[in-house]
Amino acid sequence: MQVPFLDLKPQYKALEGAINARIQTVLNHGQFILGPEMLEAERDLAAYIGTKHCLAVSSGTDASIIALMALGVGPGDEVITTPFSFFATAEVISLVGAKPVFVDIEDTAYNLDVAKIEAAITPRTKVIMPVSLYGQPADYDEINALAERHGLVVIEDAAQSFGAPYKGKKSCALTRVGTTSFFPAKPLGCYGDGGAIFTNDSELNKKMEMIRVHGQASRYNHVMMGVNGRLDTIQCAVLIEKLKRFDWEIAQRNRIATAYNEGMGSLGHRCVVPRMRADRGSVWAQYTVLVDNRDQFAADLKARGVPTSIHYPSLLPHQPVYRELGLSAGSWPVAERVSARCISLPMWPDMTDEQVAHVVKSVREVLGA
Ligand SMILES: *Cc1c(COP(=O)(O)O)cnc(C)c1O
């Protein structure tokens, strides 16, 4: 049996009529930029997450750039973040001219370790930007309290965690600003690049809205530097329909994660399954385990028709460009250990029971269980 790593086709099949009709409406009215579906999607997304405002933007990367620009983060400033994430997390900090300061992760959910943040705060620190990795929120109550004591802003990089529950709230609404991505493979994806910014701060939202369109306050009246960061109306139309299925999809992802945990949890240290904090949930952007001899494990699974992927094989400060910028000196022992052992298994909402069972059986066989 061959299992794909991710298969978005069944999802489209389920929503085909509704999505096609929505796209056709946009084709008919012709407002491809800032059309009515954008406002509708923003209203739906803000209502779902529980924030006052939502701005639909061109990508998760642009969402974070716009948030940082609106907060006035730039040259001379430092932003504390994790060394264990997708490159964009640090890239956006560097792009606005600030310096990423990498703080090690904790060993349960592999998110920023609150206990290690304080030692990294300097007079130049302006923002703490945690990532809710693989879909599980970081320790936002503690991080927000720490930030408040030091007069810092917290931005959640929620690119992998849109809507994940945390103490009665949802990821994207846990900090002053939350940014997410609608890249097709993310928990809520559109049919191209896309992203969104969430906040309850109306003044900040106004500023971010202007930055999204070239710092424009009114037509051809530019009051600050901005970017071209709008989300196409067609992508918004897709999101409106896909959001309606999202809760069902997350329930499916949880069902699959539970089956994986039950099938592999008994393997102990040979296959360390994801550990969940009792006060939060995950939207399972990835189901990632830790194994020894990862290359052999991946090859043996591939031979059984089970593809894998590595999130992430090296730390951000160890990327060539950060070596060049002189940011690679430092020690992140937990992130290094996790990065050397992590491997993600197939996970998407429309996985069949047979596919899930085949992945579990294959992992157990490969590990000699
Ligand atoms: C995907 C991702 C991004 C970037 O999102 P894009 O929409 O691809 O620009 C940023 N941070 C994290 C943690 C991500 O996983």
PDB file of all heavy atoms in Angstrom, residues 59-61 85-86 88-89 131 157 159-160 181 183 186 194 312, ligand 1:
ATOM      1  N   SER A  59       0.604  36.281   2.401  1.00  0.00           N
ATOM      2  CA  SER A  59       1.261  35.060   2.882  1.00  0.00           C
ATOM      3  C   SER A  59       1.483  35.176   4.380  1.00  0.00           C
ATOM      4  O   SER A  59       1.342  36.265   4.959  1.00  0.00           O
ATOM      5  CB  SER A  59       2.612  34.841   2.186  1.00  0.00           C
ATOM      6  OG  SER A  59       3.549  35.811   2.616  1.00  0.00           O
ATOM      7  N   GLY A  60       1.871  34.070   4.989  1.00  0.00           N
ATOM      8  CA  GLY A  60       2.227  34.098   6.400  1.00  0.00           C
ATOM      9  C   GLY A  60       3.469  34.944   6.632  1.00  0.00           C
ATOM     10  O   GLY A  60       3.585  35.646   7.640  1.00  0.00           O
ATOM     11  N   THR A  61       4.391  34.871   5.698  1.00  0.00           N
ATOM     12  CA  THR A  61       5.616  35.668   5.787  1.00  0.00           C
ATOM     13  C   THR A  61       5.274  37.150   5.764  1.00  0.00           C
ATOM     14  O   THR A  61       5.741  37.920   6.620  1.00  0.00           O
ATOM     15  CB  THR A  61       6.546  35.322   4.590  1.00  0.00           C
ATOM     16  OG1 THR A  61       6.756  33.908   4.585  1.00  0.00           O
ATOM     17  CG2 THR A  61       7.871  36.045   4.695  1.00  0.00           C
ATOM     18  N   SER A  85      12.279  26.218  13.717  1.00  0.00           N
ATOM     19  CA  SER A  85      11.070  26.602  12.997  1.00  0.00           C
ATOM     20  C   SER A  85      11.390  26.648  11.512  1.00  0.00           C
ATOM     21  O   SER A  85      12.517  26.405  11.089  1.00  0.00           O
ATOM     22  CB  SER A  85      10.615  27.984  13.479  1.00  0.00           C
ATOM     23  OG  SER A  85       9.439  28.391  12.789  1.00  0.00           O
ATOM     24  N   PHE A  86      10.364  26.991  10.724  1.00  0.00           N
ATOM     25  CA  PHE A  86      10.585  27.264   9.312  1.00  0.00           C
ATOM     26  C   PHE A  86      11.366  28.584   9.176  1.00  0.00           C
ATOM     27  O   PHE A  86      11.212  29.479  10.007  1.00  0.00           O
ATOM     28  CB  PHE A  86       9.226  27.359   8.587  1.00  0.00           C
ATOM     29  CG  PHE A  86       9.355  27.681   7.125  1.00  0.00           C
ATOM     30  CD1 PHE A  86      10.064  26.847   6.277  1.00  0.00           C
ATOM     31  CD2 PHE A  86       8.791  28.841   6.602  1.00  0.00           C
ATOM     32  CE1 PHE A  86      10.192  27.151   4.927  1.00  0.00           C
ATOM     33  CE2 PHE A  86       8.919  29.147   5.259  1.00  0.00           C
ATOM     34  CZ  PHE A  86       9.620  28.306   4.419  1.00  0.00           C
ATOM     35  N   ALA A  88      11.161  31.296   7.582  1.00  0.00           N
ATOM     36  CA  ALA A  88      10.470  32.594   7.538  1.00  0.00           C
ATOM     37  C   ALA A  88      10.373  33.250   8.915  1.00  0.00           C
ATOM     38  O   ALA A  88      10.378  34.482   9.021  1.00  0.00           O
ATOM     39  CB  ALA A  88       9.067  32.421   6.951  1.00  0.00           C
ATOM     40  N   THR A  89      10.283  32.442   9.973  1.00  0.00           N
ATOM     41  CA  THR A  89      10.164  32.988  11.327  1.00  0.00           C
ATOM     42  C   THR A  89      11.296  33.970  11.632  1.00  0.00           C
ATOM     43  O   THR A  89      11.061  35.059  12.176  1.00  0.00           O
ATOM     44  CB  THR A  89      10.179  31.830  12.360  1.00  0.00           C
ATOM     45  OG1 THR A  89       9.086  30.962  12.091  1.00  0.00           O
ATOM     46  CG2 THR A  89      10.063  32.355  13.782  1.00  0.00           C
ATOM     47  N   VAL A 131       6.752  30.558  18.184  1.00  0.00           N
ATOM     48  CA  VAL A 131       6.042  29.801  17.147  1.00  0.00           C
ATOM     49  C   VAL A 131       5.245  28.710  17.854  1.00  0.00           C
ATOM     50  O   VAL A 131       5.730  28.125  18.820  1.00  0.00           O
ATOM     51  CB  VAL A 131       7.044  29.151  16.170  1.00  0.00           C
ATOM     52  CG1 VAL A 131       6.331  28.266  15.158  1.00  0.00           C
ATOM     53  CG2 VAL A 131       7.875  30.213  15.469  1.00  0.00           C
ATOM     54  N   ASP A 157       3.686  33.539  16.008  1.00  0.00           N
ATOM     55  CA  ASP A 157       3.763  32.990  14.655  1.00  0.00           C
ATOM     56  C   ASP A 157       2.891  31.735  14.683  1.00  0.00           C
ATOM     57  O   ASP A 157       3.335  30.658  15.101  1.00  0.00           O
ATOM     58  CB  ASP A 157       5.213  32.669  14.272  1.00  0.00           C
ATOM     59  CG  ASP A 157       5.318  32.046  12.882  1.00  0.00           C
ATOM     60  OD1 ASP A 157       4.290  31.584  12.342  1.00  0.00           O
ATOM     61  OD2 ASP A 157       6.440  32.008  12.331  1.00  0.00           O
ATOM     62  N   ALA A 159       1.502  30.224  12.124  1.00  0.00           N
ATOM     63  CA  ALA A 159       1.404  29.692  10.757  1.00  0.00           C
ATOM     64  C   ALA A 159       1.003  28.219  10.750  1.00  0.00           C
ATOM     65  O   ALA A 159       0.415  27.734   9.791  1.00  0.00           O
ATOM     66  CB  ALA A 159       2.724  29.886  10.020  1.00  0.00           C
ATOM     67  N   GLN A 160       1.338  27.502  11.842  1.00  0.00           N
ATOM     68  CA  GLN A 160       1.025  26.065  11.879  1.00  0.00           C
ATOM     69  C   GLN A 160      -0.132  25.763  12.834  1.00  0.00           C
ATOM     70  O   GLN A 160      -0.497  24.607  12.998  1.00  0.00           O
ATOM     71  CB  GLN A 160       2.272  25.277  12.321  1.00  0.00           C
ATOM     72  CG  GLN A 160       3.463  25.526  11.404  1.00  0.00           C
ATOM     73  CD  GLN A 160       4.699  24.706  11.762  1.00  0.00           C
ATOM     74  OE1 GLN A 160       4.679  23.877  12.647  1.00  0.00           O
ATOM     75  NE2 GLN A 160       5.797  24.966  11.056  1.00  0.00           N
ATOM     76  N   SER A 181      -0.670  31.490   8.281  1.00  0.00           N
ATOM     77  CA  SER A 181      -0.433  31.216   6.863  1.00  0.00           C
ATOM     78  C   SER A 181      -1.546  30.342   6.317  1.00  0.00           C
ATOM     79  O   SER A 181      -2.012  29.427   7.005  1.00  0.00           O
ATOM     80  CB  SER A 181       0.902  30.479   6.704  1.00  0.00           C
ATOM     81  OG  SER A 181       1.005  29.918   5.405  1.00  0.00           O
ATOM     82  N   PHE A 183      -0.958  28.851   3.310  1.00  0.00           N
ATOM     83  CA  PHE A 183      -0.263  27.979   2.350  1.00  0.00           C
ATOM     84  C   PHE A 183      -1.053  26.663   2.298  1.00  0.00           C
ATOM     85  O   PHE A 183      -1.543  26.194   3.326  1.00  0.00           O
ATOM     86  CB  PHE A 183       1.177  27.752   2.867  1.00  0.00           C
ATOM     87  CG  PHE A 183       2.026  26.905   1.986  1.00  0.00           C
ATOM     88  CD1 PHE A 183       2.637  27.458   0.867  1.00  0.00           C
ATOM     89  CD2 PHE A 183       2.231  25.552   2.271  1.00  0.00           C
ATOM     90  CE1 PHE A 183       3.437  26.662   0.044  1.00  0.00           C
ATOM     91  CE2 PHE A 183       3.023  24.757   1.448  1.00  0.00           C
ATOM     92  CZ  PHE A 183       3.629  25.321   0.333  1.00  0.00           C
ATOM     93  N   LYS A 186      -0.981  23.990   5.085  1.00  0.00           N
ATOM     94  CA  LYS A 186      -1.207  24.344   6.491  1.00  0.00           C
ATOM     95  C   LYS A 186      -2.587  23.846   6.920  1.00  0.00           C
ATOM     96  O   LYS A 186      -3.431  23.542   6.062  1.00  0.00           O
ATOM     97  CB  LYS A 186      -1.124  25.866   6.669  1.00  0.00           C
ATOM     98  CG  LYS A 186       0.141  26.498   6.143  1.00  0.00           C
ATOM     99  CD  LYS A 186       1.338  26.289   7.051  1.00  0.00           C
ATOM    100  CE  LYS A 186       2.572  26.804   6.347  1.00  0.00           C
ATOM    101  NZ  LYS A 186       3.705  27.101   7.185  1.00  0.00           N
ATOM    102  N   GLY A 194      -1.203  32.589   0.928  1.00  0.00           N
ATOM    103  CA  GLY A 194      -2.113  33.475   1.646  1.00  0.00           C
ATOM    104  C   GLY A 194      -1.763  33.496   3.116  1.00  0.00           C
ATOM    105  O   GLY A 194      -0.989  32.657   3.599  1.00  0.00           O
ATOM    106  N   TYR A 312      12.499  20.261  11.605  1.00  0.00           N
ATOM    107  CA  TYR A 312      13.320  20.790  10.541  1.00  0.00           C
ATOM    108  C   TYR A 312      14.721  20.213  10.703  1.00  0.00           C
ATOM    109  O   TYR A 312      15.169  20.052  11.840  1.00  0.00           O
ATOM    110  CB  TYR A 312      13.331  22.313  10.595  1.00  0.00           C
ATOM    111  CG  TYR A 312      11.927  22.843  10.275  1.00  0.00           C
ATOM    112  CD1 TYR A 312      11.010  23.027  11.278  1.00  0.00           C
ATOM    113  CD2 TYR A 312      11.533  23.050   8.951  1.00  0.00           C
ATOM    114  CE1 TYR A 312       9.720  23.457  10.983  1.00  0.00           C
ATOM    115  CE2 TYR A 312      10.248  23.482   8.666  1.00  0.00           C
ATOM    116  CZ  TYR A 312       9.339  23.675   9.681  1.00  0.00           C
ATOM    117  OH  TYR A 312       8.075  24.060   9.391  1.00  0.00           O
TER     118      TYR A 312
HETATM  119  C1  LIG B   1       4.657  28.256   6.743  1.00  0.00           C
HETATM  120  C2  LIG B   1       5.284  29.047   7.836  1.00  0.00           C
HETATM  121  C3  LIG B   1       5.568  30.412   7.685  1.00  0.00           C
HETATM  122  C4  LIG B   1       5.424  31.143   6.381  1.00  0.00           C
HETATM  123  O1  LIG B   1       4.169  31.124   5.826  1.00  0.00           O
HETATM  124  P1  LIG B   1       4.008  31.413   4.238  1.00  0.00           P
HETATM  125  O2  LIG B   1       2.553  31.551   4.043  1.00  0.00           O
HETATM  126  O3  LIG B   1       4.587  30.236   3.533  1.00  0.00           O
HETATM  127  O4  LIG B   1       4.737  32.667   3.947  1.00  0.00           O
HETATM  128  C5  LIG B   1       6.061  31.103   8.778  1.00  0.00           C
HETATM  129  N1  LIG B   1       6.294  30.487   9.950  1.00  0.00           N
HETATM  130  C6  LIG B   1       6.048  29.181  10.130  1.00  0.00           C
HETATM  131  C7  LIG B   1       6.285  28.571  11.476  1.00  0.00           C
HETATM  132  C8  LIG B   1       5.553  28.417   9.077  1.00  0.00           C
HETATM  133  O5  LIG B   1       5.334  27.097   9.258  1.00  0.00           O
END
